[in-house]
Amino acid sequence: MKNKRSLLKSLKFNYKLGKKTWFGTGGNCNLFLEVNSIKQLVNTIKIAKKFLPILVIGSGSNVIIRDGGFKGIVIKLGGNFRKIEIDNNNSVLTVGAGTKDSELAKFCVEKNISGLEFLSGIPGTIGGNIKMNAGCYGDQISDNLINCTIIDEKLNKKIVKRNEIDFHYRKSSFDSRQIIIEARFKIQKRDKLQIRKKMSIISDKRKKSQPVSSRTGGSTFKNPTLYPAWKLIDEIDYRGKQLGGAKVSNLHSNFLINYKNASSLDLEMLGDEIKNKVWEKRRINLKWELIRIGEFKKV
Ligand SMILES: Cc1cc2nc3c(=O)[nH]c(=O)nc-3n(C[C@H](O)[C@H](O)[C@H](O)COP(=O)(O)OP(=O)(O)OC[C@H]3O[C@@H](n4cnc5c(N)ncnc54)[C@H](O)[C@@H]3O)c2cc1C
């Protein structure tokens, strides 16, 4: 009953998705809701998918939602999807897909668990991390993963083992109809001080090199094999470049920021301009790391 009430309370019609993205940009969806249990998730999709497409988002930290919005239903995982548990043998960590990276990182420090220190600097959720194979400074989410529980395209709950998932650089083989609801990780124990030390090194590096307190979406482009994207962007002299309210960060040229009431179009056009210039100069095709979703605004 309590769950049902919180589900109903979370229903938002014609909702501005910019409120749920790190960039703070993005048009409306028909319906936004936060589900708290597998039953709510499955029942919602069962009814909704007959009428409208469905999109699951986490913290919205890796997306540009276009200004015309998403014609469909956007679901966020809350309630029971934010649990963190350790098994009796102290060897497996089970994490709900709606759990924030910062919450899990804090838990790992408290329980002396190593291997996920890098999450302390990533502002996503576990579901988004797995979908994107998030990582930094040599570690990535797939490293200690044992398996994931998903709701598949037929709305069945299914466990997918690590070796059944294709993980690549910032990419997994999950498609948009598969919803990650839980993940299990191997537990490696380590001294608390060592864990804290690793996290603080990561945090210091980030503060010096990334615009972590700006409205951004993290890395705009994937790093090509031979050159980091920021270097190619510096070669075309785009550090600090502005287009409308969007700007290439002065601190890290592979980060776009919403500098002054940018629209999603400003951000995307600036990104496309960078892609074209890098292609013209170096014949290297930068690939978007940011996921661009939805429709352009009709003018
Ligand atoms: C300041 C800043 C720093 C960042 N640093 C890093 C970094 O160092 N390394 C890195 O890898 N990334 C980084 N990012 C990018 C981003 O935080 C990660 O990609 C993160 O994993 C995205 O998680 P999210 O929950 O925000 O996903 P969202 O941005 O909400 O969604 C991303 C994609 O995942 C899908 N998705 C979300 N949840 C689920 C789910 N439960 N099941 C299935 N699909 C789902 C969405 O549909 C979408 O396609 C950074 C971003 C910012 C803003």
Side-chain angles (χ1 to χ4, degrees):
M1 191 62 189
K2 197 177 145 216
N3 263 350
K4 213 171 184 176
R5 237 183 278 135
S6 71
L7 174 75
L8 289 174
K9 225 172 126 190
S10 84
L11 290 182
K12 293 183 176 87
F13 293 91
N14 206 18
Y15 184 71
K16 186 162 172 53
L17 288 169
K19 291 183 191 164
K20 297 289 176 192
T21 64
W22 257 68
F23 274 120
T25 65
N28 293 7
C29 60
N30 297 76
L31 176 64
F32 176 89
L33 74 155
E34 188 164 314
V35 293
N36 299 311
S37 64
I38 298 177
K39 198 172 158 198
Q40 281 184 357
L41 176 66
V42 171
N43 286 343
T44 304
I45 301 175
K46 222 181 248 172
I47 302 168
K49 76 172 192 178
K50 293 184 192 149
F51 305 102
L52 287 165
I54 287 161
L55 168 73
V56 175
I57 59 162
S59 296
S61 63
N62 205 42
V63 291
I64 292 183
I65 308 257
R66 294 188 173 119
D67 304 307
F70 176 75
K71 302 279 170 270
I73 296 170
V74 177
I75 299 178
K76 199 172 155 79
L77 305 180
N80 294 345
F81 296 108
R82 286 179 76 168
K83 64 170 187 192
I84 310 177
E85 285 167 3
I86 298 178
D87 73 331
N88 291 338
N89 296 328
N90 238 339
S91 60
V92 179
L93 182 67
T94 301
V95 188
T99 309
K100 286 186 181 164
D101 296 340
S102 54
E103 289 165 355
L104 180 57
K106 196 169 157 228
F107 181 90
C108 288
V109 176
E110 278 162 19
K111 305 288 179 193
N112 299 357
I113 296 171
S114 176
L116 293 167
E117 290 90 342
F118 69 98
L119 288 181
S120 61
I122 302 182
T125 61
I126 299 306
N129 295 161
I130 292 174
K131 169 82 179 185
M132 299 306 303
N133 194 18
C136 60
Y137 306 118
D139 294 316
Q140 51 201 344
I141 197 78
S142 48
D143 294 345
N144 290 306
L145 184 72
I146 302 169
N147 61 40
C148 292
T149 308
I150 65 161
I151 299 296
D152 71 10
E153 48 284 10
K154 292 189 177 128
L155 296 184
N156 294 320
K157 187 173 144 188
K158 190 166 137 192
I159 292 185
V160 191
K161 290 192 207 126
R162 162 71 183 82
N163 62 10
E164 294 169 325
I165 310 165
D166 262 343
F167 281 112
H168 297 281
Y169 169 53
R170 302 296 167 262
K171 195 173 150 186
S172 71
S173 48
F174 288 116
D175 73 32
S176 58
R177 294 164 307 163
Q178 297 172 311
I179 301 172
I180 301 150
I181 57 168
E182 196 171 270
R184 272 162 289 274
F185 299 94
K186 283 178 235 153
I187 290 183
Q188 303 169 41
K189 288 281 184 175
R190 201 177 181 193
D191 178 63
K192 205 185 287 295
L193 283 178
Q194 295 298 316
I195 297 174
R196 281 223 171 94
K197 193 171 162 199
K198 189 165 175 190
M199 286 184 180
S200 95
I201 292 172
I202 291 174
S203 160
D204 287 350
K205 274 191 191 166
R206 273 184 189 279
K207 278 183 203 145
K208 279 188 200 136
S209 62
Q210 297 178 2
V212 287
S213 49
S214 302
R215 286 197 163 275
T216 179
S219 297
T220 309
F221 300 107
K222 297 184 187 198
N223 286 316
T225 326
L226 294 178
Y227 308 94
W230 67 262
K231 209 165 191 174
L232 297 167
I233 298 168
D234 278 354
E235 280 181 16
I236 57 161
D237 223 5
Y238 261 53
R239 193 176 280 254
K241 178 94 176 171
Q242 272 176 247
L243 190 156
K247 185 175 174 180
V248 176
S249 164
N250 286 315
L251 209 50
H252 194 312
S253 54
N254 195 26
F255 278 56
L256 293 178
I257 52 178
N258 175 357
Y259 177 61
K260 241 185 206 169
N261 298 322
S263 62
S264 293
L265 187 64
D266 293 342
L267 293 160
E268 199 169 345
M269 276 171 47
L270 185 52
D272 278 338
E273 204 172 290
I274 292 170
K275 261 174 79 69
N276 290 339
K277 296 264 175 194
V278 168
W279 176 254
E280 271 166 29
K281 189 171 175 92
R282 303 279 274 153
R283 288 287 181 267
I284 293 174
N285 184 16
L286 284 178
K287 297 218 167 80
W288 283 93
E289 181 171 324
L290 292 170
I291 313 265
R292 290 153 303 141
I293 297 171
E295 303 187 9
F296 294 107
K297 196 172 178 175
K298 291 194 180 84
V299 277

Short mmCIF file of all heavy atoms in Angstrom, two decimals, residues 22 55-63 77 97 101 121-136 170 175 178-181 206 210-212 214 216-219 255 289 291 293, ligand 1:
data_model
loop_
_atom_site.label_atom_id
_atom_site.label_comp_id
_atom_site.label_asym_id
_atom_site.label_seq_id
_atom_site.Cartn_x
_atom_site.Cartn_y
_atom_site.Cartn_z
N TRP A 22 22.30 15.78 -15.68
CA TRP A 22 23.41 16.57 -15.14
C TRP A 22 23.62 17.86 -15.91
O TRP A 22 23.99 18.88 -15.35
CB TRP A 22 24.69 15.71 -15.15
CG TRP A 22 24.98 15.23 -13.78
CD1 TRP A 22 24.24 14.32 -13.08
CD2 TRP A 22 26.03 15.66 -12.93
NE1 TRP A 22 24.78 14.15 -11.84
CE2 TRP A 22 25.89 14.95 -11.71
CE3 TRP A 22 27.09 16.53 -13.06
CZ2 TRP A 22 26.76 15.12 -10.65
CZ3 TRP A 22 27.96 16.70 -12.01
CH2 TRP A 22 27.80 16.01 -10.82
N LEU A 55 11.93 4.42 -21.50
CA LEU A 55 13.35 4.70 -21.31
C LEU A 55 13.65 4.64 -19.82
O LEU A 55 12.92 5.22 -19.02
CB LEU A 55 13.65 6.11 -21.85
CG LEU A 55 15.01 6.71 -21.50
CD1 LEU A 55 16.12 6.01 -22.29
CD2 LEU A 55 15.05 8.22 -21.79
N VAL A 56 14.73 3.92 -19.47
CA VAL A 56 15.15 3.91 -18.06
C VAL A 56 16.35 4.82 -17.94
O VAL A 56 17.29 4.74 -18.74
CB VAL A 56 15.52 2.48 -17.62
CG1 VAL A 56 16.07 2.48 -16.20
CG2 VAL A 56 14.30 1.60 -17.67
N ILE A 57 16.33 5.70 -16.95
CA ILE A 57 17.53 6.51 -16.70
C ILE A 57 18.00 6.32 -15.26
O ILE A 57 17.24 5.90 -14.39
CB ILE A 57 17.35 8.03 -16.99
CG1 ILE A 57 16.23 8.62 -16.14
CG2 ILE A 57 17.12 8.30 -18.46
CD1 ILE A 57 16.30 10.13 -16.05
N GLY A 58 19.30 6.63 -15.07
CA GLY A 58 19.85 6.57 -13.72
C GLY A 58 19.96 7.99 -13.20
O GLY A 58 18.95 8.67 -13.00
N SER A 59 21.20 8.48 -13.05
CA SER A 59 21.38 9.86 -12.59
C SER A 59 21.39 10.87 -13.74
O SER A 59 21.62 12.05 -13.51
CB SER A 59 22.70 10.00 -11.83
OG SER A 59 22.68 9.24 -10.67
N GLY A 60 21.24 10.39 -14.96
CA GLY A 60 21.25 11.30 -16.11
C GLY A 60 22.61 11.99 -16.28
O GLY A 60 22.68 13.11 -16.77
N SER A 61 23.68 11.28 -15.90
CA SER A 61 25.00 11.92 -15.93
C SER A 61 25.80 11.61 -17.19
O SER A 61 26.95 12.02 -17.31
CB SER A 61 25.82 11.51 -14.69
OG SER A 61 26.06 10.13 -14.69
N ASN A 62 25.17 10.88 -18.11
CA ASN A 62 25.89 10.56 -19.34
C ASN A 62 25.01 10.77 -20.57
O ASN A 62 25.25 10.19 -21.61
CB ASN A 62 26.36 9.11 -19.28
CG ASN A 62 27.57 8.85 -20.15
OD1 ASN A 62 28.49 9.66 -20.18
ND2 ASN A 62 27.55 7.77 -20.88
N VAL A 63 23.97 11.60 -20.40
CA VAL A 63 23.01 11.74 -21.49
C VAL A 63 22.80 13.20 -21.88
O VAL A 63 22.90 14.10 -21.05
CB VAL A 63 21.62 11.14 -21.10
CG1 VAL A 63 21.68 9.64 -20.99
CG2 VAL A 63 21.08 11.74 -19.81
N LEU A 77 14.79 4.02 -11.22
CA LEU A 77 14.69 2.96 -10.22
C LEU A 77 14.97 3.52 -8.82
O LEU A 77 16.05 4.05 -8.58
CB LEU A 77 15.69 1.83 -10.53
CG LEU A 77 15.61 1.21 -11.92
CD1 LEU A 77 16.67 0.12 -12.08
CD2 LEU A 77 14.22 0.62 -12.19
N ALA A 97 20.33 -1.68 -8.83
CA ALA A 97 20.79 -0.85 -9.95
C ALA A 97 20.52 0.64 -9.77
O ALA A 97 21.14 1.47 -10.42
CB ALA A 97 20.14 -1.34 -11.25
N ASP A 101 26.54 5.74 -7.17
CA ASP A 101 27.95 5.37 -7.03
C ASP A 101 28.53 5.86 -5.71
O ASP A 101 29.30 5.16 -5.05
CB ASP A 101 28.77 5.97 -8.18
CG ASP A 101 28.35 5.40 -9.52
OD1 ASP A 101 27.74 4.33 -9.54
OD2 ASP A 101 28.62 6.05 -10.54
N GLY A 121 34.26 8.85 -7.64
CA GLY A 121 34.31 10.07 -8.44
C GLY A 121 33.33 10.09 -9.61
O GLY A 121 33.33 11.02 -10.41
N ILE A 122 32.50 9.05 -9.73
CA ILE A 122 31.58 9.01 -10.88
C ILE A 122 30.15 9.28 -10.37
O ILE A 122 29.72 8.66 -9.40
CB ILE A 122 31.68 7.65 -11.61
CG1 ILE A 122 33.12 7.42 -12.08
CG2 ILE A 122 30.70 7.58 -12.79
CD1 ILE A 122 33.35 6.15 -12.87
N PRO A 123 29.43 10.20 -11.00
CA PRO A 123 28.14 10.59 -10.42
C PRO A 123 26.93 9.80 -10.94
O PRO A 123 25.83 10.33 -11.03
CB PRO A 123 28.03 12.07 -10.82
CG PRO A 123 28.77 12.15 -12.11
CD PRO A 123 29.84 11.09 -12.09
N GLY A 124 27.13 8.52 -11.30
CA GLY A 124 26.02 7.75 -11.88
C GLY A 124 25.37 6.81 -10.89
O GLY A 124 25.51 6.94 -9.67
N THR A 125 24.63 5.85 -11.45
CA THR A 125 24.04 4.76 -10.66
C THR A 125 24.64 3.44 -11.17
O THR A 125 25.20 3.41 -12.28
CB THR A 125 22.52 4.69 -10.86
OG1 THR A 125 22.25 4.44 -12.25
CG2 THR A 125 21.81 5.96 -10.43
N ILE A 126 24.46 2.37 -10.41
CA ILE A 126 25.06 1.09 -10.80
C ILE A 126 24.48 0.60 -12.14
O ILE A 126 25.21 0.08 -12.99
CB ILE A 126 24.86 0.05 -9.68
CG1 ILE A 126 25.57 0.54 -8.42
CG2 ILE A 126 25.38 -1.33 -10.08
CD1 ILE A 126 27.04 0.90 -8.60
N GLY A 127 23.17 0.81 -12.36
CA GLY A 127 22.57 0.40 -13.64
C GLY A 127 23.23 1.12 -14.81
O GLY A 127 23.62 0.51 -15.81
N GLY A 128 23.36 2.44 -14.68
CA GLY A 128 24.00 3.25 -15.73
C GLY A 128 25.46 2.86 -15.91
O GLY A 128 25.98 2.79 -17.03
N ASN A 129 26.14 2.56 -14.79
CA ASN A 129 27.56 2.17 -14.87
C ASN A 129 27.74 0.91 -15.69
O ASN A 129 28.66 0.81 -16.51
CB ASN A 129 28.13 1.82 -13.47
CG ASN A 129 28.18 2.98 -12.50
OD1 ASN A 129 28.27 2.77 -11.30
ND2 ASN A 129 28.11 4.21 -12.99
N ILE A 130 26.85 -0.06 -15.44
CA ILE A 130 27.01 -1.34 -16.14
C ILE A 130 26.67 -1.18 -17.62
O ILE A 130 27.39 -1.66 -18.50
CB ILE A 130 26.17 -2.43 -15.46
CG1 ILE A 130 26.78 -2.70 -14.09
CG2 ILE A 130 26.13 -3.72 -16.29
CD1 ILE A 130 26.02 -3.63 -13.23
N LYS A 131 25.58 -0.47 -17.87
CA LYS A 131 25.21 -0.24 -19.28
C LYS A 131 26.37 0.42 -20.04
O LYS A 131 26.66 0.11 -21.19
CB LYS A 131 23.96 0.65 -19.29
CG LYS A 131 23.58 1.21 -20.61
CD LYS A 131 22.80 0.23 -21.44
CE LYS A 131 22.43 0.91 -22.76
NZ LYS A 131 21.60 0.14 -23.59
N MET A 132 27.04 1.38 -19.37
CA MET A 132 28.10 2.15 -20.03
C MET A 132 29.49 1.56 -19.81
O MET A 132 30.48 2.11 -20.27
CB MET A 132 28.12 3.60 -19.49
CG MET A 132 26.85 4.39 -19.68
SD MET A 132 26.33 4.43 -21.39
CE MET A 132 27.76 5.13 -22.19
N ASN A 133 29.59 0.50 -19.01
CA ASN A 133 30.90 -0.01 -18.55
C ASN A 133 31.78 1.16 -18.07
O ASN A 133 32.89 1.39 -18.56
CB ASN A 133 31.61 -0.81 -19.64
CG ASN A 133 32.78 -1.61 -19.07
OD1 ASN A 133 32.87 -1.82 -17.87
ND2 ASN A 133 33.68 -2.02 -19.94
N ALA A 134 31.23 1.86 -17.09
CA ALA A 134 31.92 3.06 -16.57
C ALA A 134 33.24 2.68 -15.90
O ALA A 134 33.38 1.58 -15.36
CB ALA A 134 31.01 3.76 -15.55
N GLY A 135 34.17 3.59 -15.94
CA GLY A 135 35.45 3.36 -15.29
C GLY A 135 36.33 4.58 -15.36
O GLY A 135 35.99 5.57 -16.03
N CYS A 136 37.44 4.51 -14.65
CA CYS A 136 38.44 5.58 -14.76
C CYS A 136 39.75 5.13 -14.13
O CYS A 136 39.77 4.21 -13.30
CB CYS A 136 37.95 6.87 -14.10
SG CYS A 136 37.59 6.74 -12.38
N ARG A 170 33.52 1.76 -22.51
CA ARG A 170 32.29 2.56 -22.31
C ARG A 170 31.09 2.00 -23.08
O ARG A 170 30.29 2.76 -23.65
CB ARG A 170 32.52 4.03 -22.69
CG ARG A 170 33.62 4.70 -21.96
CD ARG A 170 33.39 4.82 -20.46
NE ARG A 170 34.63 5.20 -19.81
CZ ARG A 170 35.46 4.34 -19.21
NH1 ARG A 170 35.15 3.05 -19.13
NH2 ARG A 170 36.56 4.75 -18.65
N ASP A 175 20.85 -4.11 -24.56
CA ASP A 175 20.16 -3.16 -25.44
C ASP A 175 19.10 -2.39 -24.64
O ASP A 175 18.89 -2.67 -23.46
CB ASP A 175 19.61 -3.86 -26.70
CG ASP A 175 18.39 -4.73 -26.43
OD1 ASP A 175 17.61 -4.40 -25.52
OD2 ASP A 175 18.25 -5.75 -27.12
N GLN A 178 16.47 -4.02 -22.34
CA GLN A 178 16.87 -4.81 -21.16
C GLN A 178 17.17 -3.87 -20.00
O GLN A 178 17.97 -2.93 -20.15
CB GLN A 178 18.12 -5.63 -21.51
CG GLN A 178 17.83 -6.63 -22.63
CD GLN A 178 19.10 -7.30 -23.11
OE1 GLN A 178 20.10 -6.66 -23.40
NE2 GLN A 178 19.06 -8.62 -23.21
N ILE A 179 16.52 -4.14 -18.88
CA ILE A 179 16.70 -3.23 -17.74
C ILE A 179 17.52 -3.95 -16.65
O ILE A 179 17.13 -5.03 -16.19
CB ILE A 179 15.33 -2.79 -17.18
CG1 ILE A 179 14.57 -2.07 -18.31
CG2 ILE A 179 15.50 -1.88 -15.97
CD1 ILE A 179 13.14 -1.75 -17.97
N ILE A 180 18.63 -3.35 -16.30
CA ILE A 180 19.48 -3.94 -15.27
C ILE A 180 18.86 -3.57 -13.92
O ILE A 180 18.57 -2.39 -13.66
CB ILE A 180 20.91 -3.36 -15.37
CG1 ILE A 180 21.49 -3.67 -16.76
CG2 ILE A 180 21.81 -3.91 -14.27
CD1 ILE A 180 22.47 -2.65 -17.26
N ILE A 181 18.60 -4.58 -13.08
CA ILE A 181 17.97 -4.24 -11.80
C ILE A 181 18.89 -4.51 -10.60
O ILE A 181 18.67 -3.99 -9.52
CB ILE A 181 16.60 -4.95 -11.60
CG1 ILE A 181 16.75 -6.47 -11.70
CG2 ILE A 181 15.56 -4.44 -12.59
CD1 ILE A 181 15.49 -7.20 -11.22
N ARG A 206 40.76 14.38 -10.08
CA ARG A 206 39.56 14.88 -10.76
C ARG A 206 39.38 16.39 -10.58
O ARG A 206 39.11 17.10 -11.53
CB ARG A 206 38.31 14.23 -10.18
CG ARG A 206 37.98 12.97 -10.84
CD ARG A 206 36.70 12.43 -10.28
NE ARG A 206 36.53 11.11 -10.79
CZ ARG A 206 36.05 10.84 -11.99
NH1 ARG A 206 35.66 11.80 -12.78
NH2 ARG A 206 35.96 9.61 -12.42
N GLN A 210 39.08 18.13 -14.02
CA GLN A 210 37.73 18.04 -14.60
C GLN A 210 36.79 19.07 -13.97
O GLN A 210 36.92 19.36 -12.78
CB GLN A 210 37.14 16.64 -14.36
CG GLN A 210 37.93 15.53 -15.05
CD GLN A 210 37.35 14.15 -14.76
OE1 GLN A 210 36.34 14.02 -14.08
NE2 GLN A 210 38.00 13.13 -15.27
N PRO A 211 35.83 19.57 -14.74
CA PRO A 211 34.91 20.58 -14.20
C PRO A 211 33.79 19.91 -13.38
O PRO A 211 32.62 19.96 -13.76
CB PRO A 211 34.34 21.23 -15.47
CG PRO A 211 34.38 20.13 -16.49
CD PRO A 211 35.54 19.26 -16.15
N VAL A 212 34.17 19.28 -12.24
CA VAL A 212 33.23 18.43 -11.51
C VAL A 212 32.05 19.20 -10.88
O VAL A 212 31.03 18.61 -10.56
CB VAL A 212 33.94 17.60 -10.41
CG1 VAL A 212 34.75 16.49 -11.01
CG2 VAL A 212 34.81 18.48 -9.53
N SER A 214 30.56 21.75 -12.44
CA SER A 214 29.76 22.41 -13.49
C SER A 214 28.66 21.48 -13.97
O SER A 214 28.68 20.28 -13.69
CB SER A 214 30.64 22.73 -14.70
OG SER A 214 31.71 23.53 -14.33
N THR A 216 27.68 19.30 -16.46
CA THR A 216 28.37 18.61 -17.54
C THR A 216 27.83 17.19 -17.68
O THR A 216 26.93 16.79 -16.93
CB THR A 216 29.90 18.60 -17.28
OG1 THR A 216 30.56 17.90 -18.32
CG2 THR A 216 30.25 17.94 -15.95
N GLY A 217 28.38 16.44 -18.62
CA GLY A 217 27.94 15.05 -18.80
C GLY A 217 29.14 14.11 -18.80
O GLY A 217 29.05 13.01 -19.33
N GLY A 218 30.26 14.56 -18.25
CA GLY A 218 31.47 13.73 -18.30
C GLY A 218 32.10 13.81 -19.68
O GLY A 218 31.89 14.79 -20.41
N SER A 219 32.85 12.78 -20.05
CA SER A 219 33.54 12.81 -21.34
C SER A 219 32.54 12.87 -22.49
O SER A 219 31.58 12.10 -22.52
CB SER A 219 34.38 11.54 -21.53
OG SER A 219 35.38 11.51 -20.55
N PHE A 255 35.26 17.78 -22.06
CA PHE A 255 34.02 17.99 -21.31
C PHE A 255 33.29 19.20 -21.87
O PHE A 255 33.87 20.28 -21.96
CB PHE A 255 34.32 18.28 -19.82
CG PHE A 255 34.57 17.05 -18.98
CD1 PHE A 255 35.56 16.14 -19.31
CD2 PHE A 255 33.83 16.82 -17.82
CE1 PHE A 255 35.82 15.02 -18.52
CE2 PHE A 255 34.07 15.70 -17.02
CZ PHE A 255 35.06 14.81 -17.37
N GLU A 289 30.59 9.69 -26.70
CA GLU A 289 30.40 8.82 -25.52
C GLU A 289 29.04 9.16 -24.89
O GLU A 289 28.34 8.30 -24.40
CB GLU A 289 31.53 9.04 -24.50
CG GLU A 289 31.37 8.15 -23.28
CD GLU A 289 32.57 8.17 -22.35
OE1 GLU A 289 33.72 8.25 -22.82
OE2 GLU A 289 32.34 8.09 -21.13
N ILE A 291 25.24 9.73 -24.52
CA ILE A 291 24.12 9.11 -25.22
C ILE A 291 23.12 10.23 -25.53
O ILE A 291 22.66 10.91 -24.62
CB ILE A 291 23.41 8.08 -24.32
CG1 ILE A 291 24.40 7.16 -23.64
CG2 ILE A 291 22.31 7.34 -25.07
CD1 ILE A 291 24.66 5.89 -24.32
N ILE A 293 19.50 11.34 -26.72
CA ILE A 293 18.19 10.68 -26.69
C ILE A 293 17.10 11.69 -27.06
O ILE A 293 17.17 12.85 -26.67
CB ILE A 293 17.89 10.15 -25.26
CG1 ILE A 293 18.94 9.08 -24.86
CG2 ILE A 293 16.49 9.57 -25.14
CD1 ILE A 293 18.86 8.65 -23.41
C1 LIG B 1 31.33 15.13 -13.65
C2 LIG B 1 31.21 13.79 -14.35
C3 LIG B 1 32.26 12.90 -14.32
C4 LIG B 1 32.18 11.67 -14.96
N1 LIG B 1 33.24 10.82 -14.91
C5 LIG B 1 33.16 9.60 -15.48
C6 LIG B 1 34.26 8.69 -15.43
O1 LIG B 1 35.30 8.96 -14.87
N2 LIG B 1 34.12 7.48 -16.04
C7 LIG B 1 32.98 7.12 -16.69
O2 LIG B 1 32.90 6.00 -17.20
N3 LIG B 1 31.92 7.97 -16.76
C8 LIG B 1 31.97 9.19 -16.18
N4 LIG B 1 30.91 10.05 -16.26
C9 LIG B 1 29.73 9.66 -17.04
C10 LIG B 1 28.62 8.96 -16.22
O3 LIG B 1 28.64 9.34 -14.86
C11 LIG B 1 28.72 7.43 -16.31
O4 LIG B 1 28.61 6.98 -17.64
C12 LIG B 1 27.63 6.71 -15.48
O5 LIG B 1 27.88 5.33 -15.51
C13 LIG B 1 26.22 6.97 -16.01
O6 LIG B 1 25.31 6.51 -15.03
P1 LIG B 1 23.85 7.14 -14.91
O7 LIG B 1 23.14 6.37 -13.86
O8 LIG B 1 23.94 8.60 -14.73
O9 LIG B 1 23.27 6.77 -16.34
P2 LIG B 1 22.37 7.73 -17.27
O10 LIG B 1 23.22 8.86 -17.75
O11 LIG B 1 21.10 8.04 -16.59
O12 LIG B 1 22.09 6.72 -18.48
C14 LIG B 1 23.14 6.30 -19.31
C15 LIG B 1 22.63 5.13 -20.19
O13 LIG B 1 22.38 4.01 -19.36
C16 LIG B 1 21.02 3.57 -19.47
N5 LIG B 1 20.61 3.08 -18.15
C17 LIG B 1 20.61 3.76 -16.97
N6 LIG B 1 20.18 2.95 -15.99
C18 LIG B 1 19.89 1.75 -16.55
C19 LIG B 1 19.41 0.50 -16.06
N7 LIG B 1 19.10 0.32 -14.77
N8 LIG B 1 19.24 -0.53 -16.93
C20 LIG B 1 19.54 -0.37 -18.25
N9 LIG B 1 19.98 0.78 -18.79
C21 LIG B 1 20.18 1.83 -17.94
C22 LIG B 1 20.25 4.80 -19.95
O14 LIG B 1 19.08 4.45 -20.64
C23 LIG B 1 21.29 5.44 -20.87
O15 LIG B 1 21.29 4.78 -22.10
C24 LIG B 1 30.99 11.30 -15.64
C25 LIG B 1 29.91 12.20 -15.66
C26 LIG B 1 30.02 13.44 -15.03
C27 LIG B 1 28.83 14.37 -15.07
#
